[in-house]
């Protein structure tokens, strides 16, 4: 029987994984109905008769047995409810599907129909005895202070409690009231409270009221009895009924409120920490009603549908991931709900090539939030007085519970990859790019960021970063020394020059783009090298002329333009000093630079209005009415290494786009690994990586030129492939 049940559950999970949630729900309800009718009903009534023979008040134990028997099924039904709700909200479905009952509601109807179809006489008697005793206990606990003192004196004489009728030392009144609340909760969860108890409670109450009135009115004619008995009705009977139905209505209130807030969880997470009051309200609801599975499924589905696709920037996904960790820990300090919801986000961002870079940029920003996070982590000791076991729905029971419960966000980000080496390697490249972009000897912020990261990663892993920052500091000292030597020997440079001297072994691979350096710049390099060798014996310098910044002043027709550009851009515009008209081919030969790269660089000066293409691949200097930019303007993107490299990759991939379209036309669909392998066969650039290909393909998906379904790329059904011829200039 257990094997068949596991097979049924496995089949239903398989349907859910394939997106056939409605079919899975139908099969699950049918299977539950079979389980109820074949064994559970008979087992319950057998159990009830055994309990009835052993103890007088067997009703709460019988209800508890029934609830324990169906609790697991109801939990699974609620999960299917949540998944159906998510599917209904996120997809266009017909109105009859929207109005169809959810699995849990159908299961409750099944319990009601099959369980109560043939009720034995002992069942009604057990209910009557239970509620009569409960009413007696409630009435005793609800006595006024004067009545209570009188009863205490009488009880002291009788040595028995008037509520539970047990010895005062063994009074069980409190246990009976707690049992009452628990029994009502179980009945409401199974949807049979009204059918089982409602009429019985009213009948018992009417009987007890009648008995009390007969007792109080017996032979008393000289006093007014109506008003005192009416007060007794208000203080005892009405309060009794209020307490019974109040719990039921409160449970309904918490359930509806919780469902509404769970439907808004995505916006609540995004708005954190401003949404903290809403999270605290929801946490209180979860303490009263079991909406945990609905919370997990709904929130996880919303996060996946709204965040995990190519149209959302990595930084935005990581911001939502951070907010989700903080918000869900408010709801569940054990971290289990956070683990369920955030697992697909972590798995997705691992597939993005820029995730580590985005994380580290956030760590090293001048951001007060992250500066606070990068402080020394606190040692969160376990409070054994308030220790609680992990919930049963924990993803990995053998996993590190301390890591899951930790409030340290930095570790949560690091755990996306599981090791620190990936972060350190990316930080080395990030630090290199930042230093070479800024070209400033001011390293205060970089030192501060590095020292904070050392607390997390250790000093040994950041040795290369220490050397890089030390190179910048040493470069400042060497520049001052070289210029002092030049002043003493009365040597002069064509223009002021500062040089960054890097220890090649410790820096990430530096991009070298060779070109013919202008004579003035070459003279500066030669002169600096001469004095450098006089200071650093037996050492030489290898120049990366494409890296750096040149402050250039252009005087055109009495107009002065100042720019801060890369050495290559400066070399290009300086060629127009002597010759105002250049063809792309001639300028390429003079600068010893590929034409496709040169043309991209020329577009910068065209955008500034200083060059104009008068005919195809022929450029002239604009002297009449050049566009005058703001003083000191700088387009860092023109000489930013990472972006320049990315532009070249995009150009190369555009050449391969025809191959990709023909591949997908002939083979219908291909996974990323297969496309990567085929592309490498047609390209001479062996450095192309799978991450770069994925980024290119995701761009095509975003432009609706490709479709990504089930891990494979396909052409859209409404797009046909046509053969075209393109010409590419290459050197």
């Amino acid at each position: 029987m257990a094997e068949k049940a596991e097979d049924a559950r496995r089949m239903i999970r398989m349907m859910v994984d394939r997106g056939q949630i409605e079919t899975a729900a139908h099969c699950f309800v049918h299977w539950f109905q079979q389980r109820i009718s074949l064994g559970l009903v008979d087992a319950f009534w057998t159990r009830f008769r055994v309990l009835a023979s052993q103890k007088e008040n067997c009703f709460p134990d019988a209800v508890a047995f029934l609830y324990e028997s169906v609790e697991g099924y109801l939990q699974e039904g609620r999960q299917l409810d949540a998944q159906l709700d998510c599917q209904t909200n996120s997809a266009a479905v017909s109105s009859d599907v929207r109005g169809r009952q959810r699995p849990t509601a159908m299961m409750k109807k099944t319990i009601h129909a099959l369980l109560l179809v043939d009720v034995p006489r002992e069942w009604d008697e057990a209910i009557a005895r239970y509620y009569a005793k409960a009413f007696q206990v409630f009435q005793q606990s609800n006595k006024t202070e004067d009545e209570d003192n009188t009863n205490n004196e009488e009880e002291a004489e009788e040595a028995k409690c008037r509520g539970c009728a047990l010895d005062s030392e063994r009074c069980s009144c409190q246990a009976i009231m707690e049992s009452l609340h628990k029994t009502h909760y179980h009945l409401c969860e199974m949807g049979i409270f009204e059918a089982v108890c409602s009429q019985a409670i009213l009948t018992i109450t009417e009987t007890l009221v009648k008995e009390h009135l007969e007792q109080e009115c017996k032979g008393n004619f000289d006093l007014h009895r109506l008003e005192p008995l009416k007060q007794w009705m208000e203080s005892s009977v009405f309060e009794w009924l209020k307490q019974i139905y109040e719990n039921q209505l409160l449970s309904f209130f918490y359930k509806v409120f919780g469902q509404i807030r769970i439907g808004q969880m995505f916006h609540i997470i995004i708005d954190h920490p401003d949404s903290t009051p809403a999270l605290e309200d929801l946490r209180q609801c979860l303490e009263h009603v079991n909406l945990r599975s609905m919370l997990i499924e709904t929130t996880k589905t919303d996060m996946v549908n709204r965040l995990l696709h190519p149209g959302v920037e990595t930084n935005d996904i990581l911001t939502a991931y951070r907010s989700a960790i903080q918000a869900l820990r408010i709801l569940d300090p054990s971290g289990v709900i956070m683990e369920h919801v955030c697992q697909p986000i972590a798995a997705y961002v691992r597939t993005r090539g820029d995730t580590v870079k985005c994380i580290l940029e956030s760590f090293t920003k001048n951001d007060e939030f992250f500066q606070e996070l990068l402080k020394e982590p606190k040692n969160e000791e376990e409070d054994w007085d308030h220790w609680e076991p992990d919930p049963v729905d924990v993803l990995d029971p053998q996993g590190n519970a301390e890591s899951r419960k930790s409030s340290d966000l930095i570790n949560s980000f690091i755990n996306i990859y599981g090791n620190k080496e990936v972060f350190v390697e990316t930080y080395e490249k990030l630090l290199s790019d930042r230093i070479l972009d800024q070209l400033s000897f001011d390293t205060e912020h970089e030192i501060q960021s590095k020292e904070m990261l050392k607390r997390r990663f250790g000093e040994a892993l950041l040795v290369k970063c220490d050397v890089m920052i030390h190179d910048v500091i040493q470069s400042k000292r060497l520049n001052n020394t070289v210029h002092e030597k030049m002043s003493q020997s009365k040597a002069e440079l064509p223009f002021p020059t500062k040089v960054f001297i890097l220890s090649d072994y410790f820096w990430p691979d530096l991009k070298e783009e060779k070109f013919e350096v202008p004579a003035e710049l070459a003279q500066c390099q030669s002169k600096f090298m001469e004095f450098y060798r006089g200071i650093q014996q037996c050492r030489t310098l290898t120049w990366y002329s494409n890296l750096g910044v040149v402050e250039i002043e252009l005087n055109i027709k009495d107009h002065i333009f100042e720019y801060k550009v890369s050495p290559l851009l400066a070399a290009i515009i300086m060629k127009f000093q002597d010759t105002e008209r250049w063809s792309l081919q001639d300028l390429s030969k003079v600068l010893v630079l590929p034409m496709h790269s040169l043309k991209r660089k020329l577009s910068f000066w065209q955008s500034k209005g200083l060059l104009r293409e008068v005919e195809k691949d022929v450029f002239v200097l604009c002297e009449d009415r050049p566009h005058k930019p703001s003083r000191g303007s700088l387009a860092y993107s023109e000489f930013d290494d990472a972006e320049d490299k990315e532009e070249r990759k995009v150009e190369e991939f555009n050449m391969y786009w025809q191959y990709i379209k023909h591949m997908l036309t002939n083979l219908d669909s291909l996974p990323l690994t297969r496309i990567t392998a085929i592309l490498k066969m047609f390209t001479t650039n062996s450095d192309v990586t799978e991450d770069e290909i994925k980024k290119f393909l995701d761009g095509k998906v975003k432009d609706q030129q490709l479709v990504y379904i089930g891990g494979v790329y396909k052409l859209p059904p409404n797009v046909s492939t046509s053969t075209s011829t393109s010409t590419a200039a290459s050197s």
Side-chain angles (χ1 to χ4, degrees):
M1 198 69 156
E3 292 180 0
K4 290 183 178 180
E6 188 57 37
D7 290 341
R9 284 189 168 92
R10 191 180 301 112
M11 180 188 70
I12 291 167
R13 283 196 296 268
M14 191 181 301
M15 291 179 186
V16 172
D17 293 339
R18 292 178 178 177
Q20 301 169 339
I21 301 175
E22 190 176 348
T23 305
H26 177 76
C27 292
F28 178 76
V29 172
H30 180 69
W31 174 59
F32 175 74
Q33 290 170 346
Q34 287 184 324
R35 298 281 291 178
I36 285 282
S37 60
L38 291 177
L40 188 56
V41 173
D42 291 339
F44 169 71
W45 288 120
T46 302
R47 177 68 174 170
F48 169 71
R49 290 187 180 94
V50 172
L51 290 170
S53 65
Q54 293 175 349
K55 55 192 305 187
E56 185 179 5
N57 279 330
C58 61
F59 177 69
D61 293 335
V63 172
F65 172 78
L66 178 62
Y67 181 73
E68 289 171 4
S69 302
V70 300
E71 182 183 13
Y73 299 104
L74 291 171
Q75 180 77 7
E76 294 175 75
R78 281 189 285 266
Q79 291 177 358
L80 287 171
D81 284 352
Q83 290 167 333
L84 275 172
D85 290 336
C86 293
Q87 187 183 62
T88 303
N89 292 335
S90 61
V93 296
S94 59
S95 58
D96 64 320
V97 173
R98 289 184 184 274
R100 200 170 294 168
Q101 284 191 333
R102 291 297 184 247
T104 306
M106 296 173 69
M107 291 165 67
K108 290 178 179 179
K109 285 188 174 181
T110 300
I111 296 171
H112 176 266
L114 295 179
L115 186 71
L116 304 179
V117 66
D118 187 17
V119 178
R121 181 175 55 83
E122 294 86 357
W123 176 252
D124 293 331
E125 292 175 355
I127 295 175
R129 284 196 303 270
Y130 179 70
Y131 280 102
K133 176 65 70 176
F135 179 74
Q136 188 176 349
V137 169
F138 175 80
Q139 189 177 12
Q140 180 64 23
S141 64
N142 210 40
K143 295 283 187 182
T144 63
E145 187 174 348
D146 294 336
E147 292 174 328
D148 203 30
N149 292 333
T150 304
N151 289 334
N152 286 339
E153 293 174 1
E154 294 176 0
E155 283 180 9
E157 295 177 2
E158 298 177 3
K160 280 192 176 183
C161 173
R162 285 179 173 268
C164 60
L166 294 176
D167 294 340
S168 299
E169 295 179 354
R170 297 188 297 114
C171 176
S172 62
C173 290
Q174 185 175 354
I176 291 174
M177 295 309 296
E178 290 175 357
S179 168
L180 180 69
H181 298 320
K182 187 176 181 180
T183 301
H184 286 171
Y185 172 77
H186 290 164
L187 291 169
C188 291
E189 284 290 292
M190 294 184 288
I192 57 175
F193 174 82
E194 194 72 24
V196 171
C197 299
S198 184
Q199 186 59 45
I201 291 171
L202 288 176
T203 301
I204 293 163
T205 304
E206 289 173 356
T207 301
L208 293 173
V209 168
K210 183 179 179 181
E211 290 177 356
H212 183 77
L213 292 178
E214 289 176 349
Q215 180 68 26
E216 292 294 321
C217 295
K218 189 184 296 183
N220 291 325
F221 309 119
D222 55 344
L223 296 173
H224 291 286
R225 301 301 298 163
L226 181 62
E227 283 303 320
L229 288 173
K230 184 180 176 183
Q231 291 177 7
W232 172 82
M233 283 285 292
E234 292 174 352
S235 63
S236 295
V237 179
F238 293 166
E239 285 296 321
W240 157 250
L241 295 174
K242 177 184 174 184
Q243 186 169 37
I244 291 176
Y245 289 100
E246 183 180 33
N247 291 331
Q248 187 179 3
L249 290 173
L250 267 178
S251 179
F252 174 76
F253 166 77
Y254 284 126
K255 182 178 179 180
V256 173
F257 182 88
Q259 288 172 340
I260 293 171
R261 279 289 183 250
I262 287 172
Q264 301 165 339
M265 269 304 293
F266 179 81
H267 299 289
I268 290 173
I269 288 173
I270 298 302
D271 289 345
H272 185 268
D274 294 338
S275 60
T276 300
L279 290 166
E280 291 173 346
D281 289 345
L282 181 56
R283 183 181 62 194
Q284 290 185 41
C285 284
L286 294 176
E287 293 172 358
H288 293 87
V289 290
N290 188 3
L291 296 174
R292 189 183 183 90
S293 60
M294 180 185 179
L295 170 64
I296 291 172
E297 292 297 332
T298 303
T299 308
K300 183 164 64 174
T301 303
D302 281 350
M303 298 294 277
V304 169
N305 291 342
R306 299 194 184 201
L307 284 178
L308 309 188
H309 55 81
V312 183
E313 295 290 337
T314 303
N315 273 323
D316 295 334
I317 297 176
L318 292 174
T319 300
Y321 180 71
R322 182 190 73 189
S323 297
I325 291 172
Q326 294 175 311
L328 295 175
R329 280 210 177 104
I330 294 175
L331 295 179
D332 177 27
S334 73
V336 173
I337 293 178
M338 179 270 294
E339 189 177 44
H340 279 277
V341 173
C342 293
Q343 187 189 44
I345 305 176
Y348 177 79
V349 295
R350 274 198 298 268
T351 65
R352 288 201 170 192
D354 61 339
T355 299
V356 179
K357 181 181 178 182
C358 292
I359 293 173
L360 286 168
E361 282 179 343
S362 299
F363 287 176
T364 55
K365 276 179 183 176
N366 263 330
D367 188 309
E368 292 182 6
F369 177 74
F370 279 103
Q371 296 294 329
E372 182 68 25
L373 282 177
L374 288 169
K375 290 180 180 179
E376 196 70 32
K378 297 178 181 178
N379 293 324
E380 299 181 2
E381 298 181 357
E382 189 76 59
D383 184 1
W384 294 106
D385 292 334
H386 300 88
W387 177 87
E388 293 182 1
D390 286 333
V392 294
D393 56 348
V394 61
L395 274 179
D396 183 9
Q398 305 301 324
N400 188 352
E402 291 182 8
S403 174
R404 186 177 64 246
K405 295 177 182 179
S406 171
S407 60
D408 189 353
L409 266 180
I410 299 295
N411 283 339
S412 299
F413 278 99
I414 294 173
N415 288 337
I416 291 176
Y417 288 89
N419 63 75
K420 301 175 181 178
E421 286 74 11
V422 177
F423 284 87
V424 173
E425 290 174 8
T426 307
Y427 177 65
E428 289 171 1
K429 183 68 173 68
L430 186 66
L431 179 62
S432 169
D433 291 343
R434 189 173 294 167
I435 290 173
L436 295 177
D437 286 349
Q438 295 175 353
L439 290 175
S440 168
F441 291 125
D442 183 9
T443 58
E444 181 180 354
H445 175 62
E446 306 304 336
I447 291 174
Q448 183 184 11
S449 300
K450 175 179 65 72
E451 292 301 320
M452 286 190 291
L453 289 174
K454 276 185 179 181
R455 298 175 184 175
R456 299 286 175 171
F457 303 132
E459 294 192 12
L461 291 176
L462 292 167
V463 169
K464 288 187 178 181
C465 299
D466 285 330
V467 174
M468 283 191 277
I469 293 178
H470 179 265
D471 283 346
V472 177
I473 298 171
Q474 191 73 355
S475 296
K476 181 178 181 180
R477 187 185 65 80
L478 285 170
N479 272 271
N480 293 335
T481 305
V482 167
H483 287 98
E484 281 182 18
K485 296 288 185 183
M486 286 183 178
S487 298
Q488 291 172 5
S489 60
K490 297 184 179 179
E492 293 185 359
L493 297 174
F495 47 79
T497 303
K498 293 181 181 179
V499 178
F500 276 70
I501 302 167
L502 314 178
S503 303
D504 188 57
Y505 175 78
F506 293 94
W507 286 70
D509 293 337
L510 299 174
K511 184 200 73 172
E512 184 177 10
E513 188 175 11
K514 294 186 177 181
F515 63 95
E516 187 66 26
V517 178
E520 296 88 345
L521 181 56
Q523 186 179 349
C524 287
Q525 292 175 346
S526 175
K527 204 73 173 174
F528 190 94
M529 174 83 81
E530 177 185 340
F531 281 89
Y532 174 79
R533 284 177 174 171
I535 298 169
Q536 300 285 345
Q537 301 294 331
C538 302
R539 290 195 181 183
T540 187
L541 297 175
T542 300
W543 295 93
Y544 286 84
S545 300
N546 58 301
L547 302 178
V549 174
V550 176
E551 293 183 5
I552 189 170
E553 184 180 285
L554 305 178
N555 193 336
I556 302 175
K557 293 288 187 180
D558 299 328
H559 292 289
I560 296 176
F561 304 95
E562 293 183 0
Y563 294 94
K564 193 185 289 185
V565 295
S566 68
L568 178 53
L569 287 174
I572 291 171
I573 199 66
M574 288 173 71
K575 291 298 179 183
F576 285 85
Q577 288 185 107
D578 304 323
T579 304
E580 295 183 359
R581 183 185 180 96
W582 285 92
S583 68
L584 184 65
Q585 186 175 6
D586 291 341
L587 191 57
S588 173
K589 290 179 181 178
V590 171
L591 291 173
V592 194
L593 193 68
M595 285 194 293
H596 71 274
S597 178
L598 175 60
K599 191 165 186 178
R600 188 171 62 253
K601 300 298 181 182
L602 284 167
S603 64
F604 171 75
W605 293 117
Q606 286 181 271
S607 68
K608 300 301 179 184
L610 296 174
L611 294 182
R612 184 171 71 250
E613 188 175 10
V614 293
E615 55 185 86
K616 183 172 177 57
D617 293 340
V618 177
F619 299 87
V620 298
L621 184 68
C622 297
E623 295 186 348
D624 299 333
R625 298 181 61 187
H627 169 66
K628 185 173 182 179
S630 60
R631 178 181 178 87
S633 64
L634 172 61
Y636 278 107
S637 61
E638 292 297 320
F639 57 90
D640 182 88
D641 295 345
E643 293 189 11
D644 194 48
K645 182 177 180 180
E646 186 176 342
E647 287 175 7
R648 291 204 305 274
K649 290 289 184 187
V650 171
E651 285 187 6
E652 292 169 5
F653 281 124
N654 286 333
M655 295 171 60
Y656 310 142
W657 176 230
Q658 294 300 323
Y659 286 116
I660 295 172
K661 288 199 291 183
H662 284 296
M663 279 191 285
L664 296 178
T665 301
N666 297 328
L667 301 175
D668 185 51
S669 62
L670 286 171
L672 175 63
T673 52
R674 184 82 183 279
I675 294 174
T676 303
I678 296 175
L679 275 181
K680 286 191 175 183
M681 295 170 60
F682 293 98
T683 177
T684 57
N685 181 11
S686 60
D687 294 333
V688 64
T689 66
E690 190 171 298
D691 285 342
E692 292 167 341
I693 295 172
K694 184 179 187 305
K695 186 174 182 179
F696 174 75
L697 294 176
D698 287 344
K700 294 297 182 183
V701 172
K702 187 177 179 181
D703 296 338
Q704 299 183 353
Q705 297 182 54
L706 283 179
V707 176
Y708 183 71
I709 301 176
V712 296
Y713 291 91
K714 301 175 65 173
L715 289 171
N718 59 340
V719 175
S720 60
T721 305
S722 60
T723 304
S724 63
T725 303
S726 61
T727 304
S730 63
S731 61

